[in-house]
Amino acid sequence: MTSPSFDSPGPLQGIGVSATFEEAARLCQWRAQSQHPAWSRLDYLQLGIYSHQSVPPSLPGDLHAAGLDAVVHLLELNLMRPLELQAEAARRLVEQIERIGPVCVEEDLGLWRWGHTELEQHMLPPVFDQASLDVIVDNVQELQAMLRVPLFVENPPVYFVVGDLDLLTFMRRVAERSRCGLVLDIGHLVGYCAATGRDPHEYLDDWDGIEHVRELHVAGYDLRPDSAGVPMWYDNHAAPVSDYALGLVELARRRARRQLPVTLEQEGATFGRIASHIQRVSHEVAA
Amino acid sequence: MDRYDELMLGLYQGFVPRWLPGPSRVLFERESLRRRCDLGQLLSTRFPCTTYCGQALIDEDFAERVYAAWPATRFSARNVVTGLFLALNEVLNGIDGALAIRELLQYEAMAIPDLTCAPSAARVDEATSRAAGIEGAEVYRFVHAVPELHARMTLYAGARAPASFARSYTIVRREAFVARAPAPDGRGFVVTDVTPYLPPVGVDDAPAHH
């Protein structure tokens, strides 16, 4: 099976930041008023949503007035469990998505809700094997049929590995079989490599699935030495983005042969830090 | 139960699923410790006094009992913090003589903004609250002097004081009424000791100590 959209640049362009609904209202205002040079370089906002939330009625108008696109990041669907078990949540999410009118929707592979509990940092990545792949492919195809915009699937944070497939092979197969685009999260990739003793640069450079990537995520992370023999990786979004991570962004863009959009996921960071990262990404990477 | 349930249970209850291959086991064990430390951080930031008392007065590995109880809360808790509250409540409920610490838990829970269930302290009916001049607030009744206990344990927990400090504190068995009202900025709650304003119901003479 060939990639459905290798020659298409994808619906998303430029630089975006993750934001809550409250932050989105403020960022739209700053962008519209050009209060800081960084905000005028912003092209889109990534909005995380739960099915129990309500989209503020003013949000679509604020985005439009600010000239910003929206990306919806789902936070609760378990793509490795049958979607029919989550039908009500999926239906409500689709309603929210239609109110926002994003250019695309994305979700990390993983167990994000266990029973009624939203797991957040306690999520579980999939077992990387054929059985998981089959369920995920069915789910992604079903979700794509429910949405009016493309669905991108993201490599999740990984702290330990189970399964006989490696992460990037697994992601490529998800994209090829379900005909969806991918989000490559640079920090999550570094974490996976730390857990499996791989060199992120070499692993990414050798990956033949890069053509499916439609968006890059960048955030802070920590790597600390550990007695288990491999360093311990911490998903620390608020921390400064490292030069190493930006080097991987450059590599991904070079290998993809296109200016893949970059989303800064900096929840918890100050607006000052986010602004400086927007400028760094736009100067050093987008140039 | 599927393999993801089994992995999750193993991570929080501290066992490695038998089907996990050798190379995965070491990092699974490390991840289990990391996740339980993350729960521990939530315990010590959201329920610092209860956690301190649990470790000082019940068992130095008290937190481990809470981690192990957390998975069962997934059927009723919407978020991790609510799950930890329910797990703490369940663990304390199962320990004879821990009523005062359980009340301390309810008191701490009253101020937590992202708790999606009500504290399980006895609620005073609205007519009684209104008659006492308290409007727009939930009033809860405790059978121990919980505001004083909380104040002292805040001091000890913040200082990581030796367990002997907690052991030497005498918990007073005396009725307390505490009100909580939404904070003016809409984030969280304001908790106020309203004991002087409510008619006493009276407490029995059972021993107060854990």
Side-chain angles (χ1 to χ4, degrees):
Chain A
M1 188 179 290
T2 57
S3 167
S5 53
F6 176 50
D7 295 326
S8 147
L12 197 62
Q13 299 293 320
I15 299 173
V17 296
S18 59
T20 61
F21 288 148
E22 203 172 283
E23 291 164 345
R26 205 178 317 174
L27 286 167
C28 284
Q29 197 179 19
W30 291 348
R31 171 75 161 75
Q33 296 171 354
S34 300
Q35 285 206 346
H36 185 288
W39 310 125
S40 63
R41 296 179 188 277
L42 206 54
D43 298 291
Y44 61 93
L45 297 182
Q46 180 212 66
L47 303 163
I49 64 167
Y50 286 105
S51 59
H52 62 77
Q53 285 179 306
S54 300
V55 176
S58 59
L59 180 66
D62 289 348
L63 289 164
H64 182 74
L68 290 169
D69 283 327
V71 173
V72 165
H73 195 318
L74 306 179
L75 300 170
E76 68 178 274
L77 288 184
N78 299 328
L79 290 180
M80 61 232 217
R81 278 181 167 162
L83 203 59
E84 65 199 33
L85 304 175
Q86 310 160 67
E88 182 55 24
R91 186 191 63 73
R92 283 201 301 265
L93 286 167
V94 169
E95 281 178 10
Q96 308 274 46
I97 290 163
E98 290 187 353
R99 284 192 198 111
I100 295 171
V103 293
C104 59
V105 174
E106 57 202 33
E107 172 74 291
D108 301 41
L109 296 178
L111 183 80
W112 290 96
R113 178 184 288 274
W114 194 32
H116 294 295
T117 305
E118 289 155 5
L119 292 171
E120 299 186 354
Q121 294 92 331
H122 290 264
M123 60 77 67
L124 196 65
V127 174
F128 294 121
D129 65 6
Q130 191 61 40
S132 298
L133 194 59
D134 292 342
V135 176
I136 288 166
V137 167
D138 285 350
N139 286 341
V140 172
Q141 288 177 333
E142 200 176 329
L143 262 179
Q144 286 188 125
M146 294 166 73
L147 297 168
R148 295 170 201 264
V149 292
L151 173 69
F152 300 156
V153 174
E154 176 179 348
N155 58 310
V158 174
Y159 292 88
F160 67 99
V161 181
V162 189
D164 54 3
L165 293 171
D166 70 278
L167 170 72
L168 291 183
T169 300
F170 190 87
M171 296 304 294
R172 177 174 60 76
R173 291 188 187 177
V174 169
E176 287 176 353
R177 285 187 50 195
S178 57
R179 304 178 69 85
C180 69
L182 298 177
V183 173
L184 178 65
D185 187 295
I186 297 294
H188 297 173
L189 177 72
V190 171
Y192 173 81
C193 289
T196 56
R198 288 178 164 85
D199 178 285
H201 196 280
E202 285 175 13
Y203 187 45
L204 180 57
D205 204 18
D206 289 343
W207 186 34
D208 55 4
I210 189 79
E211 65 190 78
H212 302 292
V213 174
R214 294 289 174 271
E215 182 190 346
L216 301 170
H217 284 182
V218 185
Y221 60 82
D222 298 321
L223 272 175
R224 295 181 198 155
D226 190 74
S227 56
V230 294
M232 195 177 253
W233 172 82
Y234 293 88
D235 206 5
N236 181 2
H237 282 200
V241 173
S242 67
D243 291 344
Y244 186 76
L246 291 180
L248 291 173
V249 167
E250 277 184 22
L251 173 64
R253 285 177 149 189
R254 194 166 63 244
R255 291 224 46 240
R257 288 179 280 143
R258 66 166 67 113
Q259 292 295 302
L260 291 167
V262 176
T263 306
L264 288 159
E265 293 187 313
Q266 296 261 259
E267 307 87 52
T270 61
F271 281 116
R273 176 170 287 171
I274 297 169
S276 75
H277 283 151
I278 292 170
Q279 294 199 297
R280 271 187 75 193
V281 170
S282 60
H283 286 136
E284 297 173 24
V285 182
Chain B
M1 172 158 14
D2 65 10
R3 53 188 178 166
Y4 295 112
D5 287 321
E6 207 179 334
L7 286 169
M8 286 295 278
L9 287 173
L11 285 167
Y12 295 95
Q13 296 181 339
F15 67 85
V16 184
R18 261 189 286 178
W19 50 268
L20 215 58
S24 300
R25 300 178 79 87
V26 172
L27 290 190
F28 183 88
E29 283 173 345
R30 183 177 79 172
E31 177 61 3
S32 169
L33 293 168
R34 190 191 70 81
R35 284 176 184 240
R36 285 183 284 164
C37 285
D38 192 75
L39 291 186
Q41 282 198 327
L42 282 174
L43 282 178
S44 56
T45 53
R46 304 305 183 92
F47 309 101
C49 296
T50 310
T51 304
Y52 170 76
C53 281
Q55 287 174 336
L57 299 176
I58 296 170
D59 175 2
E60 66 178 341
D61 290 327
F62 174 74
E64 209 161 353
R65 300 193 201 185
V66 182
Y67 307 150
W70 179 75
T73 68
R74 69 186 183 276
F75 301 111
S76 46
R78 179 185 281 180
N79 57 37
V80 174
V81 169
T82 303
L84 281 176
F85 165 72
L86 295 174
L88 275 164
N89 198 42
E90 183 67 24
V91 168
L92 291 170
N93 213 15
I95 297 170
D96 282 342
L99 178 59
I101 304 175
R102 191 161 163 255
E103 287 204 329
L104 182 61
L105 168 66
Q106 311 311 321
Y107 184 82
E108 288 197 294
M110 287 175 75
I112 293 178
D114 50 354
L115 201 72
T116 59
C117 65
S120 60
R123 175 99 184 259
V124 175
D125 66 82
E126 281 184 33
T128 307
S129 303
R130 258 201 310 274
I134 300 164
E135 300 270 3
E138 301 165 359
V139 179
Y140 293 89
R141 174 179 171 267
F142 298 88
V143 298
H144 296 93
V146 172
E148 290 92 326
L149 172 63
H150 178 259
R152 187 67 74 89
M153 292 308 138
T154 298
L155 172 69
Y156 293 172
R160 293 190 173 85
S164 62
F165 284 32
R167 283 196 300 271
S168 65
Y169 180 80
T170 304
I171 298 171
V172 179
R173 192 168 172 87
R174 188 182 65 226
E175 210 164 36
F177 293 94
V178 180
R180 77 164 181 178
D185 65 359
R187 296 175 189 208
F189 300 94
V190 176
V191 175
T192 315
D193 183 356
V194 293
T195 306
Y197 307 105
L198 280 130
V201 178
V203 294
D204 59 38
D205 293 330
H209 261 305
H210 161 64

